[in-house]
C-alpha cells in the first residue's frame, strides 16, 4: 500500500479537498484503486453534532456516518461510495485509545501521545486503505500546518514515513496571495508554511500553489529553492471556473505521472476522456436555468455560507449540464420571504427547499412551496423540503389550519410531520450523536408515478438523515386529495417520496438524493426536476 498525505498551509478553505479529490481521480484514471481519507482535527466523534456555521454541510455515507463535506467531493470525483473508515477525527482516535486503556489493552504501560495515539492514527489510516482494497490511500489533513491541535497527526505522518520511506509521500497545498496594493503574486507565505512543516521533521515532496493565476517560472524557482523541492514538483492550481476542471489542470502538469514515479509505480493505461468531455459540456452550455434554493441561511460575520448546501448545489449543476443548461442558482433566505413576500420568486424556473432543522425560516419555505404548487413551478424538496411540502398541502389544500411538524410546534393541532417513535426515546435520553435515521435505506416506488419514471425501477436505496416522518394518521386524507406517496420503506410504513398530480413536477424526498449525484451520473430526481423545468421554458 502506498500513502499520499495532503496538508494545507497559509489559510484554510484553500480547496485542499478538491485538490485531494482531483489527485484521486487522476490516479484512478491511471489504473489504481484509491481510498481517500479525511482527517478532521476537532474532538467531535463526527460532524453530526457540529452546527452548520462552524462546519458547512454534513455529508452522509451509505453506512450512515455523518462526515465532512470533503467526503462528498471525493465521492463525486472518484465515484466510489466511501465508508466510516474514510473519516477520522481526533475524537475517534482519543476515544479508541482511552477505551483500550480502560480495557487494560496497554498491559500496564503508561499511555502516551507518541507512540500510542500516533499508532492509533496510523492503524486507522491503514484500515481505510484496506477497507477499499486500495493501491493508494490519500489522506487529507484538515486545518493548516502549525495548528496546535493537529500536531499528533503530523507526527503520525513522520513516523509512517520513517518506517516506509519509499511508500509515503507528502503534498503540501499553500496559498500565494496577490495583494491589491502590490499587484504581484507573493510566494513567501508558502515558504513559511513549508518551514513549519520542516520544523516538524517533514519535507514535502510536492508543493501545490493555490492562487488566482498560474504560478510563473520565477516564483516556481523561488519556491523550489526555499522549500527544497524540484521546480517541476511545484504544481500550479489556479482558480478555474468549475471545480471539475481542476483534475485536468493538474493532469496537464503531469502531476499523476510525477506522483507515481515518486512512489515507484508505473502508470497503467486509461485516461481522463470522460472528464474532458464533461468539462467541455460545462463550458458549452449557454441556455440558463434559474433555480431558487430557498433555505435557512447561515452567516459568519458579514458573509453568507453557501457550503452548507454544497451537495445540493453540485447535484443541480450535474443535472443542468446533462440537459445542456447553465445553472444560475439564486440564494433565497426563507426569512426574507417571510418579511418581503414571494415576489422574489417571479421569473424563477424551479424551486428547491433543501434539508434543515429547527423553526427559523420555515414559514418562508412554506410560502415558497405554496407558490411553486399554485403557479406550477417545478419543485424539489429535500428532506425538510419534503416535510414542508406536506405541511403546505395539509394547510392549504386539506384546510388543516396550523398543521405543522412537531419539530417546530409541539402543540400543533395537526402534527402532519411528527417524530419517529424510537427517535423520541433517544432525545429524552439526550442521545444526540449519530442517532438520527442515518445512511442508506431501501425504498419501494409506486409504478405509474413520476418518481418511478425517474428511476426506471421499483427498488432503490437512498441516504437519510432525519428524526421526523410523515404522520401516517393523515395518509388517507392526503391521498384522497391527490397527494401521492410514490415511495415508501419496504414495509410500507415510512413515506419516503411524495409528489403531486396535475403539476409539471412537484416532488419531495425524505432522503437526501444530493449525496448520490455524480458529475458523470446526475441523480435521477435532480435530472427529472431539471428536465421538467427545461420543457417549460
Ligand atoms: N429536521 C428534519 C428531521 O429531522 C429534517 C432533517 C433534514 O432535512 N435532514 O426530520
Amino acid at each position: 500500500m502506498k500513502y499520499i498525505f495532503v496538508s494545507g498551509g497559509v489559510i484554510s478553505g484553500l480547496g485542499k479537498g478538491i485538490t485531494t479529490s482531483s489527485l484521486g481521480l487522476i490516479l484512478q484514471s491511471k489504473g489504481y484503486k484509491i481510498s481517500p481519507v479525511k482527517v478532521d482535527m476537532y474532538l467531535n466523534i463526527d460532524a453530526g453534532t457540529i452546527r452548520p456555521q462552524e462546519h458547512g454541510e454534513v455529508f452522509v455515507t451509505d453506512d450512515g456516518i455523518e462526515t465532512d463535506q470533503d467526503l462528498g467531493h471525493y465521492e463525486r470525483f472518484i465515484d466510489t461510495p466511501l465508508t466510516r473508515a474514510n473519516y477520522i477525527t481526533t475524537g475517534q482516535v482519543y476515544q479508541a485509545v482511552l477505551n483500550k486503556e480502560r480495557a487494560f489493552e496497554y498491559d500496564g504501560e503508561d499511555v502516551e501521545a507518541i507512540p500510542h495515539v500516533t499508532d492509533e492514527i496510523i492503524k486507522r489510516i491503514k484500515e481505510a486503505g484496506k477497507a477499499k482494497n486500495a493501491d493508494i490511500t490519500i489522506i487529507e489533513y484538515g486545518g493548516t500546518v502549525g495548528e496546535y491541535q493537529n500536531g499528533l497527526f503530523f507526527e503520525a505522518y513522520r513516523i509512517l514515513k520513517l518506517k516506509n520511506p519509499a511508500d509515503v509521500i507528502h503534498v503540501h497545498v499553500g496559498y500565494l496571495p496577490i495583494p491589491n496594493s502590490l499587484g504581484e503574486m507573493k510566494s513567501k507565505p508558502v515558504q513559511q508554511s513549508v518551514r513549519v512543516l520542516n520544523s516538524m521533521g517533514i519535507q514535502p515532496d510536492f508543493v501545490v500553489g493555490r492562487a488566482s493565476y498560474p504560478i510563473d517560472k520565477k516564483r516556481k524557482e523561488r519556491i523550489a529553492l526555499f522549500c527544497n523541492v524540484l521546480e517541476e514538483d511545484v504544481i500550479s492550481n489556479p482558480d478555474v471556473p468549475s471545480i471539475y476542471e481542476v483534475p485536468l489542470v493538474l493532469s496537464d502538469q503531469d502531476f499523476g505521472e510525477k506522483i507515481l514515479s515518486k512512489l515507484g509505480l508505473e502508470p497503467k493505461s486509461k485516461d481522463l476522456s470522460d472528464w474532458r468531455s464533461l468539462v467541455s459540456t460545462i463550458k458549452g452550455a449557454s441556455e440558463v436555468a434559474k433555480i431558487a434554493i430557498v433555505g435557512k441561511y447561515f452567516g459568519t460575520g458579514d458573509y453568507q455560507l453557501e457550503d452548507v448546501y454544497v451537495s445540493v448545489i453540485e447535484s443541480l449543476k450535474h443535472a443542468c449540464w446533462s440537459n445542456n443548461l447553465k445553472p444560475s442558482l439564486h440564494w433565497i433566505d426563507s426569512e426574507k420571504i417571510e418579511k418581503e413576500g414571494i415576489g422574489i420568486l417571479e421569473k424563477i424556473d424551479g424551486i428547491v427547499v433543501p434539508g434543515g432543522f429547527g423553526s427559523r425560516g420555515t414559514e418562508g419555505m412554506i410560502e415558497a412551496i405554496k407558490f411553486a404548487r399554485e403557479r406550477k413551478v417545478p419543485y424539489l424538496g429535500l428532506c425538510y423540503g419534503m416535510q414542508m411540502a406536506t405541511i403546505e398541502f395539509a394547510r392549504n389544500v386539506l384546510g388543516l389550519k396550523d398543521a405543522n411538524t412537531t419539530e417546530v410546534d409541539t402543540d400543533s393541532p395537526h402534527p402532519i410531520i411528527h417524530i419517529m417513535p424510537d427517535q423520541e426515546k433517544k432525545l429524552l435520553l439526550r442521545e444526540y450523536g449519530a442517532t438520527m435515521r442515518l445512511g442508506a435505506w431501501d425504498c419501494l416506488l409506486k409504478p405509474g408515478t413520476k418518481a418511478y419514471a425517474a428511476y426506471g425501477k421499483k427498488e432503490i436505496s437512498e441516504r437519510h438523515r432525519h428524526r421526523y416522518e410523515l404522520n401516517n394518521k393523515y395518509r388517507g386524507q392526503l391521498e384522497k386529495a391527490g397527494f401521492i406517496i410514490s415511495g415508501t420503506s419496504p414495509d410500507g410504513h415510512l413515506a419516503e417520496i411524495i409528489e403531486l398530480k396535475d403539476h409539471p413536477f412537484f416532488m419531495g424526498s425524505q432522503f437526501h438524493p444530493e449525496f448520490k449525484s455524480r458529475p458523470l451520473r446526475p441523480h435521477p430526481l435532480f435530472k427529472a426536476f431539471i428536465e421538467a423545468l427545461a420543457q417549460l421554458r
Side-chain angles (χ1 to χ4, degrees):
M1 179 98 63
K2 305 281 184 181
Y3 301 91
I4 303 170
F5 285 73
V6 180
S7 66
V10 187
I11 55 169
S12 64
L14 266 181
K16 228 181 329 132
I18 300 297
T19 306
T20 305
S21 307
S22 302
L23 195 50
L25 174 71
I26 292 170
L27 297 173
Q28 190 181 49
S29 81
K30 300 208 176 295
Y32 288 96
K33 268 200 102 181
I34 305 300
S35 185
V37 183
K38 176 70 195 278
V39 178
D40 269 332
M41 301 303 165
Y42 38 67
L43 279 163
N44 304 66
I45 303 292
D46 57 42
T49 52
I50 310 177
R51 75 174 80 86
Q53 289 92 323
E54 298 277 335
H55 190 265
E57 173 186 270
V58 173
F59 186 81
V60 181
T61 57
D62 279 335
D63 67 346
I65 184 160
E66 297 167 284
T67 72
D68 183 72
Q69 55 178 287
D70 280 327
L71 267 87
H73 291 309
Y74 304 161
E75 284 205 2
R76 285 188 281 274
F77 277 67
I78 69 167
D79 197 2
T80 310
L82 302 175
T83 68
R84 57 188 61 239
N86 298 91
Y87 183 55
I88 301 175
T89 67
T90 304
Q92 293 169 19
V93 171
Y94 283 2
Q95 192 178 49
V97 170
L98 294 175
N99 286 344
K100 274 193 206 165
E101 186 278 326
R102 291 289 83 184
F104 203 61
E105 286 183 34
Y106 292 108
D107 269 342
E109 267 183 78
D110 55 352
V111 181
E112 295 189 283
I114 304 165
H116 300 109
V117 175
T118 46
D119 280 354
E120 181 65 31
I121 295 169
I122 293 169
K123 181 178 135 243
R124 281 167 181 258
I125 288 170
K126 288 184 172 171
E127 278 167 3
K130 280 193 214 121
K132 291 258 86 161
N133 201 10
D135 305 305
I136 305 172
T137 303
I138 308 180
I139 307 98
E140 178 191 347
Y141 278 181
T144 47
V145 50
E147 283 174 41
Y148 187 75
Q149 59 177 357
N150 58 23
L152 281 175
F153 286 91
F154 282 94
E155 280 295 285
Y157 165 79
R158 190 184 57 73
I159 294 166
L160 188 67
K161 170 85 178 172
L162 180 73
K163 295 187 179 167
N164 311 271
D167 298 329
V168 182
I169 61 172
H170 195 111
V171 175
H172 185 65
V173 185
Y175 181 61
L176 287 87
I178 306 174
N180 278 342
S181 54
L182 298 177
E184 184 198 335
M185 185 184 283
K186 303 303 279 182
S187 69
K188 191 73 93 219
V190 172
Q191 296 175 34
Q192 297 289 3
S193 70
V194 172
R195 277 273 159 89
V196 178
L197 271 180
N198 292 160
S199 70
M200 294 191 284
I202 296 171
Q203 171 58 47
D205 298 274
F206 292 91
V207 172
V208 174
R210 280 281 301 119
S212 303
Y213 301 99
I215 308 171
D216 62 356
K217 185 162 167 47
K218 182 158 177 232
R219 276 148 197 91
K220 281 192 177 174
E221 281 169 4
R222 288 192 80 75
I223 295 171
L225 180 66
F226 288 102
C227 300
N228 209 16
V229 290
L230 299 175
E231 191 186 321
E232 67 196 44
D233 294 340
V234 179
I235 308 286
S236 254
N237 189 354
D239 289 350
V240 281
S242 161
I243 53 171
Y244 300 111
E245 224 175 306
V246 175
L248 304 182
V249 171
L250 300 182
S251 174
D252 290 346
Q253 297 168 72
D254 296 327
F255 196 20
E257 286 80 357
K258 290 174 189 170
I259 292 241
L260 289 177
S261 129
K262 282 224 194 319
L263 289 171
L265 299 172
E266 290 288 321
K268 303 178 199 168
S269 61
K270 265 198 172 180
D271 58 33
L272 285 173
S273 53
D274 286 359
W275 213 262
R276 285 193 195 275
S277 71
L278 168 76
V279 170
S280 70
T281 306
I282 296 173
K283 289 186 167 165
S286 55
E287 290 253 345
V288 174
K290 291 199 260 10
I291 302 161
I293 302 175
V294 181
K296 171 158 94 171
Y297 278 77
F298 297 102
T300 166
D302 290 344
Y303 301 91
Q304 290 283 355
L305 292 174
E306 294 182 0
D307 64 358
V308 173
Y309 302 119
V310 57
S311 292
V312 177
I313 298 168
E314 293 308 316
S315 305
L316 287 168
K317 290 181 185 170
H318 304 159
C320 280
W321 295 328
S322 78
N323 277 286
N324 268 316
L325 290 170
K326 194 183 166 104
S328 159
L329 306 181
H330 298 255
W331 299 95
I332 297 173
D333 178 350
S334 55
E335 285 182 291
K336 198 162 166 197
I337 293 184
E338 290 169 5
K339 286 184 215 118
E340 296 169 18
I342 38 83
I344 201 166
L345 294 174
E346 299 284 350
K347 302 203 183 94
I348 284 285
D349 299 318
I351 297 173
V352 173
V353 172
F357 294 85
S359 59
R360 178 160 70 88
T362 50
E363 291 301 320
M365 294 173 199
I366 293 169
E367 280 303 307
I369 295 167
K370 179 165 183 273
F371 177 89
R373 182 177 56 78
E374 291 179 343
R375 302 277 288 266
K376 303 221 183 292
V377 178
Y379 173 72
L380 184 62
L382 309 167
C383 201
Y384 218 22
M386 172 268 201
Q387 298 177 352
M388 292 298 138
T390 313
I391 296 167
E392 192 281 322
F393 192 88
R395 285 188 192 174
N396 301 321
V397 179
L398 299 184
L400 302 176
K401 210 173 153 277
D402 297 326
N404 216 327
T405 164
T406 54
E407 180 173 354
V408 172
D409 178 4
T410 38
D411 300 323
S412 169
H414 297 291
I416 193 101
I417 305 291
H418 67 170
I419 193 150
M420 292 185 271
D422 57 324
Q423 289 292 331
E424 192 161 23
K425 284 180 219 145
K426 287 172 187 160
L427 295 192
L428 281 172
L429 296 167
R430 296 193 64 81
E431 288 174 0
Y432 288 104
T435 58
M436 285 193 224
R437 179 167 178 252
L438 287 170
W441 293 85
D442 289 339
C443 168
L444 295 184
L445 303 180
K446 194 167 174 181
T449 59
K450 285 204 181 95
Y452 190 100
Y455 283 93
K457 59 182 179 185
K458 192 168 177 2
E459 287 172 36
I460 59 161
S461 165
E462 292 283 359
R463 298 183 193 171
H464 297 67
R465 181 171 187 252
H466 63 115
R467 296 194 198 273
Y468 295 79
E469 61 172 342
L470 192 150
N471 186 344
N472 283 334
K473 214 178 88 191
Y474 292 92
R475 252 205 217 187
Q477 223 175 324
L478 285 164
E479 284 176 323
K480 220 178 282 158
F483 189 88
I484 303 165
I485 295 178
S486 46
T488 63
S489 52
D491 64 4
H493 186 80
L494 289 164
E496 301 279 37
I497 311 183
I498 58 110
E499 58 187 79
L500 294 183
K501 274 202 287 265
D502 307 325
H503 191 289
F505 190 94
F506 188 103
M507 201 179 290
S509 65
Q510 183 58 83
F511 50 80
H512 291 271
E514 68 269 24
F515 294 147
K516 287 179 73 170
S517 182
R518 307 287 173 254
L520 299 173
R521 279 188 308 115
H523 189 281
L525 294 188
F526 280 93
K527 217 170 143 200
F529 168 64
I530 299 295
E531 271 161 18
L533 162 168
Q535 269 167 24
L536 288 172
R537 289 156 47 84

